[in-house]
């Protein structure tokens, strides 16, 4: 038997046999990625998470012009050999990860998009802060038995 565990964006693959456990492999993400869900179906492991990054920087030390962007990402691994998982596909869509489902071999992904743009504008010696916010929702679907996502 194989157990797949998720802890702090690290997926660990562990074999259990006659009461003993053996770590077979682990999949770690970089600091910008946060794994929030995993699914195992047949010989596929699907990871869902949020990828966060700061976008836009001003060269002017007096002003800030930028925002923090969240994208949902999906990674699909071939786990036919659990000791050697291989990434076989991935995708990104705008917005932070919300939820997902697998129905009839398709993965449905729902993300929430809340853009936050913050700009410091210098006018006549006064600092003014402008906040723009927009709401949008995005969905995506991929087929789990395909090698491309």
């Amino acid at each position: 038997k194989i157990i797949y565990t998720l802890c702090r964006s690290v997926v660990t693959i562990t074999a259990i046999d006659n009461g003993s456990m053996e770590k077979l492999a682990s999949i770690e993400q970089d600091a910008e990625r946060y794994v929030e869900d995993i699914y195992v179906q047949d010989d596929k492991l699907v990871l869902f998470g949020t990828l966060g990054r700061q976008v836009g920087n001003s060269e002017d030390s007096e002003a800030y012009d930028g925002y923090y962007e969240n994208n949902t990402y999906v990674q699909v691994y071939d786990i036919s050999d659990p000791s050697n998982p291989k990434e076989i596909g991935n995708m990104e869509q705008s917005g932070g990860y919300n939820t997902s489902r697998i129905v009839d071999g398709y993965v449905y992904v729902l993300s929430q998009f809340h853009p936050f743009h913050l700009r410091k504008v210098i006018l006549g010696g006064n600092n003014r802060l402008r906040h723009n916010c927009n709401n949008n929702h995005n969905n995506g679907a991929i087929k789990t038995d395909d090698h491309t996502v």
Side-chain angles (χ1 to χ4, degrees):
K1 293 183 181 183
I2 305 290
I3 294 178
Y4 299 85
T5 57
L6 170 63
C7 181
R8 294 190 178 103
S9 290
V10 177
V11 176
T12 303
I13 304 171
T14 306
I16 299 178
D17 187 31
N18 292 326
S20 64
M21 296 173 59
E22 177 188 358
K23 178 181 172 183
L24 299 176
S26 64
I27 301 169
E28 296 185 31
Q29 302 294 305
D30 59 38
E32 293 180 326
R33 295 179 182 267
Y34 182 74
V35 180
E36 299 185 51
D37 264 336
I38 63 173
Y39 289 113
V40 175
Q41 185 173 36
D42 303 322
D43 288 338
K44 305 288 188 296
L45 169 66
V46 186
L47 278 58
F48 301 89
T50 298
L51 169 63
R53 60 176 83 97
Q54 186 172 340
V55 179
N57 286 315
S58 176
E59 297 294 323
D60 182 357
S61 63
E62 295 281 324
Y64 173 81
D65 184 10
Y67 59 94
Y68 191 76
E69 174 183 81
N70 283 327
N71 284 332
T72 293
Y73 73 94
V74 179
Q75 292 175 309
V76 180
Y77 288 84
D78 177 347
I79 52 171
S80 55
D81 176 4
S83 64
N84 188 24
K86 294 185 180 187
E87 184 176 346
I88 58 172
N90 63 68
M91 66 154 281
E92 277 188 38
Q93 69 184 34
S94 58
Y97 176 77
N98 185 290
T99 192
S100 60
R101 302 285 185 272
I102 295 181
V103 179
D104 295 330
Y106 285 90
V107 175
Y108 294 90
V109 180
L110 178 66
S111 61
Q112 286 185 301
F113 185 64
H114 299 284
F116 179 73
H117 186 83
L118 187 62
R119 179 175 288 160
K120 184 177 177 183
V121 181
I122 313 281
L123 294 173
N126 293 328
N127 294 337
R128 294 191 180 184
L129 207 55
R130 186 170 68 211
H131 166 119
N132 297 322
C133 191
N134 227 347
N135 290 329
N136 190 10
H137 299 282
N138 298 302
N139 305 338
I142 59 173
K143 188 146 178 64
T144 56
D145 60 356
D146 289 343
H147 292 288
T148 56
V149 179

